[in-house]
């Protein structure tokens, strides 16, 4: 990866892994600046100098600083890969609608439930041992009544979509190759498999494995930022 105007500011084990995959698929030169999490699992102060929110991914390109996964994915495709990964039909087509939907669905609908599931596991670890059983019980009830039913619905929804597009190429928007929807959902689904595998169907697992088998995806695991803790190994 030669130096270029594109720099990916990559926080370890973050959503920026989807940007690594897209950059490799695009074949454009880029560099990765890695940031390690502190003992509190937060980003280091150096990342706050790039993005005041201290979140990753962030890219810089030609003097522009761009944050938020969805914005970065759509920007990179529009500028460097519209012919390869863009939707060829207009906003009246089902492909265009499905692509837009899953591009935003990844973080807008699925991710909040996965964060709630993570909190269910992590928060009880932070409280004193004497009250841990009580906190576990409370969080367990919240998970069972709210988070788990929603995760089950999302798992079925994604499985149904992959069933519908199977004969069209198997990508989420019903296209012959990946689009922004697939780049966005790649990390989301691996987090889903890590945190709520009981709600993930066989077609979804096959879809994730197919992403991981792509040469460009394999390259992301070899270079800077490739040590992704949530890699699906099923």
């Amino acid at each position: 990866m030669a130096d270029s105007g594109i720099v990916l500011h990559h926080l370890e084990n973050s959503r920026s892994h989807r940007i690594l995959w897209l950059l490799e698929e695009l074949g454009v030169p880029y560099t990765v600046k890695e940031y390690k999490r502190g003992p509190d699992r937060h980003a280091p102060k150096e990342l706050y100098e790039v993005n005041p929110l201290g979140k990753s991914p962030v890219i810089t390109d030609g003097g522009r600083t761009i944050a938020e996964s969805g914005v970065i994915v759509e920007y990179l495709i529009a500028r460097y890969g519209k012919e390869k990964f863009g939707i060829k039909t207009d906003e009246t087509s089902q492909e265009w609608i499905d692509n837009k939907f899953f591009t935003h669905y990844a973080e807008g609908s699925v991710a909040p439930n996965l964060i709630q599931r993570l909190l269910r596991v992590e928060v009880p670890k932070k409280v004193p041992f004497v009250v841990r059983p009580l906190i576990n019980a409370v969080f367990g009830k919240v998970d069972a009544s709210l988070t788990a039913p929603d995760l089950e619905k999302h798992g079925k929804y994604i499985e149904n979509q992959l069933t519908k597009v199977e004969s069209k190429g198997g990508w989420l928007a019903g296209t012959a190759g990946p689009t922004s929807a697939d780049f966005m959902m790649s990390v989301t689904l691996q987090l889903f498999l890590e945190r709520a595998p009981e709600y993930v169907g066989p077609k979804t697992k096959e879809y994730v494995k197919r992403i991981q088998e792509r040469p460009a995806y394999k390259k992301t695991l070899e270079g800077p930022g490739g040590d992704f803790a949530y890699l699906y190994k099923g």
Side-chain angles (χ1 to χ4, degrees), residues 110-228:
V110 187
N113 290 280
L114 296 174
I115 292 170
Q116 290 171 11
R117 174 56 65 91
L118 177 64
L119 292 175
R120 159 71 182 91
V121 175
E122 294 299 322
V123 169
K125 297 178 183 178
K126 310 293 184 183
V127 302
F129 181 79
V130 67
V131 297
R132 196 170 298 167
L134 175 61
I135 299 301
N136 261 318
V138 171
F139 274 72
K141 287 183 178 179
V142 171
D143 184 82
S145 62
L146 297 176
T147 308
D150 278 347
L151 286 169
E152 183 176 15
K153 291 175 188 175
H154 286 301
K156 289 179 179 178
Y157 189 88
I158 295 163
E159 188 78 0
N160 287 339
Q161 177 66 13
L162 289 170
T163 300
K164 286 195 295 185
V165 299
E166 189 172 21
S167 63
K168 301 178 182 179
W171 299 100
L172 282 166
T175 51
T179 61
S180 62
D182 304 288
F183 293 110
M184 287 297 296
M185 288 291 288
S186 63
V187 166
T188 302
L189 288 178
Q190 290 185 80
L191 291 173
F192 205 134
L193 281 157
E194 194 267 338
R195 294 174 186 170
E198 67 271 29
Y199 302 124
V200 180
K203 292 189 185 300
T204 305
K205 293 176 183 178
E206 292 170 6
Y207 169 80
V208 172
K209 291 299 292 183
R210 181 152 49 90
I211 288 173
Q212 293 178 337
E213 288 300 315
R214 290 178 70 86
Y217 194 93
K218 290 181 178 180
K219 285 188 69 176
T220 69
L221 306 177
E222 300 168 359
D227 187 16
F228 185 52

